[in-house]
Amino acid sequence: MDLTLTYDALTQAFESLKVYFLIYCLCVVLIFLLGKSLDRERFVYPVIFLVLTLYNPILVSPIAETIGLLPRIRRIYWLLPVTLLIVYLIVRVVSEAGSAVFKVAVILAALLIAGSWNNYFENRKTPENIYKISDESILVSEKLHELSPQDGDIMVVFSDDRLQEIRMYDASVRNILRRKDLLNWQPDVEDEEYVREVYASGKTNRIITLFVKYGCVPEDITILSDALEKKDPDYLICDKDSMKMMTLEDMGARKVSETDSFAIYEI
Amino acid sequence: MELLLPILLIAVYLFLFYLCGVILCHGLGRKESIPFKIVYGYFLYFLLFFAVTIIPKALKASLTFLSVLWVIVVCLILIFGIRFLISERETINAGKGYIGITLLLIFLMTALLNTNGDYITIWDAAYYIGDVNTSVYTDSISAYDPYTGAKLSSFTPDYFLEVLQNHSAVVCRLFHIPALLEVRTTLFSVNIILFYTIIVLFSGMFFEDREKQRTLFLVLFMFFDLFTYNLHTRSQILLMRGYEGKAVAANIIIFGLLYILFRYIEGEDDIWKVGVLVSMASFGLNMTSILLVPALTAAVLIPHMIVTAKYDRLRYAIYIVLPMVFPGVMYLGMKYLR
C-alpha cells in the first residue's frame, strides 16, 4: 500500500502553485469559521468528505490500480473548486466592503498576487499556420507525397516525437512505430547488457526504436537493417543527427529529401 | 477563408446546444436562462450522439453511415427545438449591459486562446486529433490506431465509450473540413465558451442580479485561469488543450455537475434530473467521469444529507451515480477480459 500516493499526487497537481493552493485552504478555513451554513455545505463539507475518502491513501491505494486510476491519480484534485472559491470570496469581500479604497486595494492585491504565478503567456506560441502545427511537419508531408505520387498509404518511421503532427494533418502517412514503442517503453540504454538482450530478442519495433529514438546502433549492423527490411517502410524520417545519417547511409539507405531539421531516407 | 467554416461552425454548435436545452427544459417543464439551456443542452446533445454512435462503433460501421444517422437526429433537434422555441417566449433576466460585457469577455478569452499554436503533450494531441483524422481518412469510427494508422484488433477500454472525437470526425465528414481545424479551432472554442458560460451561471447563483459583482467574478475567474498554469491544473488543460476529453471532464463536466448540485442543496429538489443527464452524458465525453461524477456527487450530497438530516435524499445521489454502473462494468470488463 502506497501511503504517500495521494499526497504525492497533490504536490504534483499544485506544483509551482503552492501559494494558490494555500490561499484556497485558507478560504476553506475562513468559510468554515465565518461562512453561512449554505457556503459551508458548498465549499467545506465536500472537502472534508473527499479528504476522508478519495484523498485518503488508505482507502484509495488498494483500488487505484484496479480501476485504472494510478496513471490519472492527479485528476482527483480537479474536484476541488479552487478558483471558484477564491474568486467568490474576493468578490464577496469587495461587495461587502464600505470603502471604495478598500475595494480597489483588494482587487489590486488579488491581481498582483495571482499575476505573479505561472502564467499561460509564457507557455504560448504564435501559430505558424491555421492548422497550428509546425510548417515543417506540413512540408515533410508534402515532400513525402512528391516522392510517392501514387495514391495510397506511405509507410514511414518517425524518428522524432514532433513528427506525430504529420498524422494529425495527413492520415495517409502511416508510422511503423507505435505509442508503446516510442513512449511507453523506456529502456535503460546505458545498460549495455539490456541493449544486447533487445538485439538478441529480434523484436523489430524495439530494435528500430533503439536506433531512431536513442541513437543505439548494434555492432552487427545487419540486425538493424534486417529489422527495417522486415517492417519494410517506404521512408525513414531522421532528425539530422550525423551518426544516425551515417548509419543509414552505411546500410545503403538513400537520402531523397530534407527539411531544416529532418532528412528523408528511402529504405 | 479556410478558417471561415470552422468559425461559423462554432455558432452552429452553440445554436444546436441551445435548441437541445430548449427541448430539455420543455421536457422537464423548467423555465431556465439561455446560458443554462446552452450548457445543459450540450449534455443532451452529446448524450444523443452517444446513443446514436455506440452501436455502429461497436459493429465497426462506416463513418458515412454514422454521419447519415446523425444528420437525421440533428434534423429532429431542429424541428422540435424550433417548435418549442416558438411556443415559449424567452426571457432574459439580466440587464443588457451585463450581457454585452459577458459576451465580450468570453469572446476575448476565446480569441486570445485561439492564437496559441502550442500544445503541451504531443502524444495526447496525436491521439485526439489523429483519431479524428484517421477515422475520416479510413471512413471508420475509431477502428484504426491514430498513431500508426494500423487497423485495431480490439478497442482500447479507456476510449471505447468516448465519442467526443467521433463527433468531430462526423463534422469533418459532413463539412469536409480538416481535422486540425475542427478540433483545434471549432471544438476548442466551443469548450472555452461553454466553460465560461458555466461560470456565468455560477456568478448568477452567487450574486443574483448584481451586475458589477457578476462581471468582477467573471473577470477575476478568467484572470486566475490565465495565471494558474502547470501541467496538471484544470485551467492549463482548458487553455492549452481544451479540445481533449480530459479538458471537458475537468471543466465542463465537473463544473456543470457542481452547479446542479449547488442548486439542489439550495433547495431545488427537481434539479436532480438534470444531474442525471450530466452523469449519463459524461462518460461519452471522457471516461474519467466514471470516477469523478460519483465522487463529486457523493462529496456534495452525502454531507448535505447528514447536515440537514434528510436521509431520504440519498436516493437522488443514487439516481445521479447509477448511470455510471454501465460504463464502469464495461470498462473493467474490457480491461480484464480481453
Side-chain angles (χ1 to χ4, degrees):
Chain A
M1 188 186 296
D2 181 1
L3 291 177
T4 61
L5 179 73
T6 50
Y7 175 74
D8 292 344
L10 177 71
T11 53
Q12 286 169 14
F14 292 97
E15 191 183 358
S16 70
L17 290 168
K18 288 191 180 73
V19 176
Y20 169 61
F21 182 69
L22 288 174
I23 289 175
Y24 169 69
C25 294
L26 182 68
C27 291
V28 173
V29 173
L30 281 175
I31 291 275
F32 181 68
L33 296 175
L34 307 169
K36 293 174 189 164
S37 76
L38 181 60
D39 279 343
R40 282 203 288 266
E41 278 193 53
R42 283 169 176 163
F43 296 113
V44 181
Y45 302 146
V47 177
I48 296 170
F49 181 87
L50 287 170
V51 168
L52 293 174
T53 56
L54 192 61
Y55 300 161
N56 180 350
I58 296 167
L59 289 182
V60 168
S61 281
I63 58 162
E65 194 162 6
T66 314
I67 61 171
L69 182 63
L70 221 46
R72 304 171 174 87
I73 187 79
R74 288 178 298 264
R75 294 184 188 182
I76 60 177
Y77 296 104
W78 290 344
L79 293 170
L80 296 175
V82 183
T83 304
L84 192 76
L85 174 57
I86 296 174
V87 172
Y88 168 64
L89 269 193
I90 293 169
V91 180
R92 279 282 306 276
V93 168
V94 168
S95 62
E96 283 168 22
S99 143
V101 176
F102 182 72
K103 286 181 187 199
V104 173
V106 170
I107 295 170
L108 277 180
L111 294 178
L112 281 172
I113 293 170
S116 67
W117 297 334
N118 278 8
N119 71 62
Y120 155 85
F121 301 98
E122 278 174 16
N123 297 283
R124 74 175 288 285
K125 193 179 98 183
T126 306
E128 293 174 25
N129 49 60
I130 58 168
Y131 302 104
K132 300 178 191 171
I133 59 173
S134 70
D135 284 341
E136 194 165 19
S137 293
I138 296 174
L139 188 64
V140 171
S141 161
E142 284 168 358
K143 284 187 182 285
L144 287 171
H145 282 282
E146 277 169 25
L147 293 164
S148 306
Q150 74 279 10
D151 283 343
D153 297 346
I154 304 171
M155 304 298 289
V156 299
V157 176
F158 293 152
S159 70
D160 191 296
D161 287 356
R162 283 175 293 167
L163 293 164
Q164 291 296 332
E165 285 187 335
I166 294 175
R167 283 203 46 79
M168 301 183 214
Y169 176 75
D170 179 0
S172 70
V173 177
R174 291 180 50 188
N175 186 16
I176 298 283
L177 299 176
R178 303 157 298 179
R179 179 185 168 119
K180 63 180 175 186
D181 303 315
L182 289 165
L183 187 70
N184 300 5
W185 184 52
Q186 292 180 340
D188 177 7
V189 291
E190 301 298 317
D191 182 349
E192 289 178 13
E193 186 60 32
Y194 178 71
V195 173
R196 268 199 293 274
E197 276 173 25
V198 175
Y199 291 140
S201 73
K203 289 179 178 167
T204 49
N205 279 17
R206 293 200 167 179
I207 293 167
I208 299 170
T209 303
L210 277 180
F211 172 66
V212 295
K213 186 162 182 185
Y214 302 98
C216 299
V217 181
E219 281 167 26
D220 177 5
I221 206 163
T222 56
I223 293 173
L224 178 60
S225 56
D226 287 351
L228 283 168
E229 201 174 314
K230 219 170 183 178
K231 286 290 171 185
D232 194 24
D234 297 310
Y235 303 100
L236 190 148
I237 308 166
C238 180
D239 47 303
K240 284 185 168 170
D241 174 297
S242 53
M243 189 277 295
K244 285 184 199 170
M245 291 165 78
M246 221 160 63
T247 308
L248 284 167
E249 279 155 27
D250 287 349
M251 286 192 306
R254 189 167 60 93
K255 189 165 90 174
V256 285
S257 191
E258 64 181 327
T259 61
D260 287 347
S261 318
F262 302 108
I264 302 174
Y265 279 87
E266 193 171 34
I267 303 292
Chain B
M1 281 306 282
E2 232 183 316
L3 264 179
L4 190 63
L5 185 57
I7 290 170
L8 282 176
L9 278 175
I10 299 169
V12 173
Y13 267 91
L14 294 174
F15 182 62
L16 286 172
F17 297 159
Y18 174 61
L19 289 184
C20 283
V22 169
I23 295 169
L24 175 72
C25 291
H26 183 88
L28 297 178
R30 303 192 67 85
K31 289 266 176 216
E32 294 288 353
S33 63
I34 293 174
F36 184 96
K37 284 174 181 162
I38 292 174
V39 170
Y40 295 96
Y42 167 88
F43 288 105
L44 178 59
Y45 179 91
F46 275 104
L47 178 62
L48 290 172
F49 185 76
F50 176 83
V52 168
T53 305
I54 202 69
I55 292 171
K57 186 174 180 177
L59 297 175
K60 301 197 171 174
S62 72
L63 184 66
T64 307
F65 174 72
L66 176 61
S67 304
V68 171
L69 280 184
W70 189 236
V71 167
I72 296 168
V73 176
V74 168
C75 288
L76 292 173
I77 291 171
L78 285 168
I79 292 166
F80 285 103
I82 291 172
R83 198 183 137 206
F84 296 147
L85 190 62
I86 292 167
S87 66
E88 293 167 20
R89 191 160 291 186
E90 195 68 67
T91 52
I92 301 169
N93 296 327
K96 280 180 184 165
Y98 170 70
I99 293 166
I101 291 169
T102 304
L103 290 176
L104 181 69
L105 284 170
I106 294 177
F107 171 77
L108 288 176
M109 194 71 167
T110 312
L112 169 74
L113 301 175
N114 255 306
T115 58
N116 180 19
D118 196 17
Y119 38 88
I120 294 303
T121 53
I122 193 154
W123 285 97
D124 286 356
Y127 177 81
Y128 285 102
I129 306 170
D131 184 52
V132 176
N133 204 23
T134 308
S135 293
V136 175
Y137 176 71
T138 55
D139 195 20
S140 65
I141 312 166
S142 294
Y144 289 78
D145 183 331
Y147 301 107
T148 63
K151 191 156 191 164
L152 291 168
S153 54
S154 61
F155 288 105
T156 319
D158 294 23
Y159 295 113
F160 174 64
L161 293 174
E162 283 188 15
V163 296
L164 188 64
Q165 47 273 37
N166 302 138
H167 181 267
S168 290
V170 165
V171 172
C172 292
R173 177 78 186 82
L174 291 172
F175 294 95
H176 298 282
I177 59 170
L180 277 160
L181 292 186
E182 147 59 23
V183 178
R184 295 201 72 199
T185 299
T186 308
L187 184 62
F188 179 69
S189 305
V190 165
N191 286 346
I192 303 277
I193 293 167
L194 271 169
F195 176 69
Y196 289 111
T197 306
I198 299 174
I199 300 308
V200 169
L201 289 176
F202 272 108
S203 76
M205 171 187 280
F206 295 151
F207 304 104
E208 294 167 350
D209 52 1
R210 286 174 284 171
E211 291 172 20
K212 280 182 193 162
Q213 280 91 333
R214 289 185 69 176
T215 308
L216 180 62
F217 183 80
L218 186 60
V219 170
L220 284 179
F221 202 103
M222 288 174 167
F223 187 84
F224 270 65
D225 271 2
L226 290 171
F227 286 86
T228 46
Y229 182 98
N230 78 19
L231 259 186
H232 315 294
T233 51
R234 168 198 64 70
S235 55
Q236 180 271 335
I237 292 167
L238 178 73
L239 271 46
M240 299 296 279
R241 41 192 175 136
Y243 51 82
E244 291 183 12
K246 62 174 81 70
V248 175
N251 295 280
I252 297 170
I253 294 171
I254 288 179
F255 279 73
L257 182 60
L258 191 64
Y259 176 77
I260 296 300
L261 295 173
F262 278 7
R263 278 181 62 168
Y264 180 76
I265 62 174
E266 275 184 12
E268 261 191 77
D269 283 356
D270 247 13
I271 200 90
W272 66 269
K273 291 171 190 163
V274 185
V276 174
L277 169 73
V278 175
S279 171
M280 286 171 73
S282 63
F283 53 83
L285 294 162
N286 186 257
M287 285 287 276
T288 312
S289 310
I290 299 175
L291 173 76
L292 298 178
V293 166
L296 184 63
T297 308
V300 178
L301 293 191
I302 290 177
H304 165 72
M305 202 177 64
I306 295 167
V307 169
T308 57
K310 291 177 180 168
Y311 297 102
D312 60 321
R313 291 188 154 203
L314 181 64
R315 68 176 187 273
Y316 297 124
I318 294 170
Y319 292 155
I320 296 173
V321 171
L322 213 53
M324 291 301 155
V325 174
F326 158 67
V329 169
M330 194 162 200
Y331 170 74
L332 291 175
M334 282 179 80
K335 196 169 168 176
Y336 291 102
L337 297 178
R338 71 181 191 142

